[in-house]
Amino acid sequence: GARWYQVDRDILLQQGALMQGNKPNVNTDLVFTDAKANEKNDGWVPKVNVTWHIDDDKLVYATYSEGFRSGGANTVRRISVLPDSYDEDTLDNFEVGAKTEWLDGTLRWNITAYTMTWNDIQIQANDPQPTVFSLGIINFPEAEINGIETDFIWSPLAGLTIDGSYSYLDAQLSKDATVFGETGFPIEATDGTDLPLAPEWKAALGVEYRFGGTLFGMDPYVRVDWSHIDESVNALEGLESIVFAPAPRTQD
């Protein structure tokens, strides 16, 4: 309560960012506008899939699909340069893959590769003005997401199961753009910037053995799991999604 407020107020004073005096100014500080933001979305969202069953144990497929998220409204301070509303974003996805079984059905192996184009990306951004602490959603031109995912499960012996998965991901902005360019606080975002929370690769491996029979009315087993997630960034560089706009951090 009081202690948190004092610490927070001290931080604002140190940065010269305390609201106009000790009392809120109705013209600048209220999170309120005298406008409405209307959003209407309609359109055609197709999905096409072609599958070929090579035999009873193997199939390959190709899929094209599209999707979208609706736009909406931002609730920001009156002096914020963030837009009152933002548009829908869309995704075009193409993937190919295979689902297979081998060794008399004891080994199952699946793999898929995909490429996606993400248009008008909805990104949470911090108002670039140094004394305005507002967050809102903006639209950014485009990103490309490419990846491969594979998984398997194998039962070489009665009671023994080995399973694992691996994925590779390349998720980056695919166009240069200037955000807030007309406001006097331009932010440059460049082609090739990594998307946040998108580790390049992930892997997992598990081994399980079931002893058979029962023990105290239960089925005893032992299992060991290992997993690894590659490093990623926590925010899109230049468009930090929290106030005070710290530099993006690399998450181990």
Side-chain angles (χ1 to χ4, degrees), residues 10-194:
D10 289 345
I11 291 173
L12 294 177
L13 282 168
Q14 290 169 11
Q15 297 195 6
L18 190 62
M19 293 185 297
Q20 323 301 320
N22 292 323
K23 295 182 180 180
N25 184 318
V26 70
N27 294 315
T28 60
D29 296 325
L30 296 186
V31 182
F32 176 82
T33 63
D34 296 322
K36 291 183 179 180
N38 297 311
E39 181 72 22
K40 180 179 180 181
N41 303 120
D42 58 67
W44 169 246
V45 185
K47 178 179 180 179
V48 179
N49 172 265
V50 178
T51 301
W52 176 33
H53 291 263
I54 300 172
D55 56 36
D56 290 341
D57 296 327
K58 303 175 185 65
L59 68 81
V60 293
Y61 72 92
T63 298
Y64 174 77
S65 58
E66 297 179 6
F68 78 98
R69 293 184 300 181
S70 297
N74 287 320
T75 303
V76 294
R77 294 171 63 182
R78 289 184 176 182
I79 58 174
S80 175
V81 297
L82 291 168
D84 291 336
S85 63
Y86 53 93
D87 298 328
E88 67 179 56
D89 57 356
T90 62
L91 187 74
D92 300 327
N93 169 64
F94 180 72
E95 65 180 277
V96 294
K99 299 180 182 294
T100 66
E101 289 188 353
W102 307 81
L103 305 177
D104 296 324
T106 61
L107 172 62
R108 177 178 297 167
W109 175 61
N110 304 319
I111 186 170
T112 185
Y114 55 87
T115 181
M116 302 179 184
T117 301
W118 190 5
N119 299 296
D120 298 322
I121 313 170
Q122 294 177 8
I123 299 173
Q124 180 171 274
N126 176 47
D127 190 305
Q129 299 176 92
T131 59
V132 178
F133 307 107
S134 285
L135 292 173
I137 304 296
I138 64 173
N139 291 99
F140 190 87
E142 185 182 279
E144 293 285 344
I145 303 170
N146 302 298
I148 298 174
E149 296 181 2
T150 184
D151 64 83
F152 76 92
I153 181 168
W154 182 34
S155 299
L157 302 171
L160 177 64
T161 302
I162 304 171
D163 58 81
S165 63
Y166 174 84
S167 66
Y168 169 80
L169 182 66
D170 180 23
Q172 300 178 340
L173 297 180
S174 52
K175 286 185 178 180
D176 296 330
T178 301
V179 185
F180 306 121
E182 70 285 355
T183 67
F185 298 92
I187 294 176
E188 300 290 337
T190 59
D191 181 5
T193 301
D194 290 334

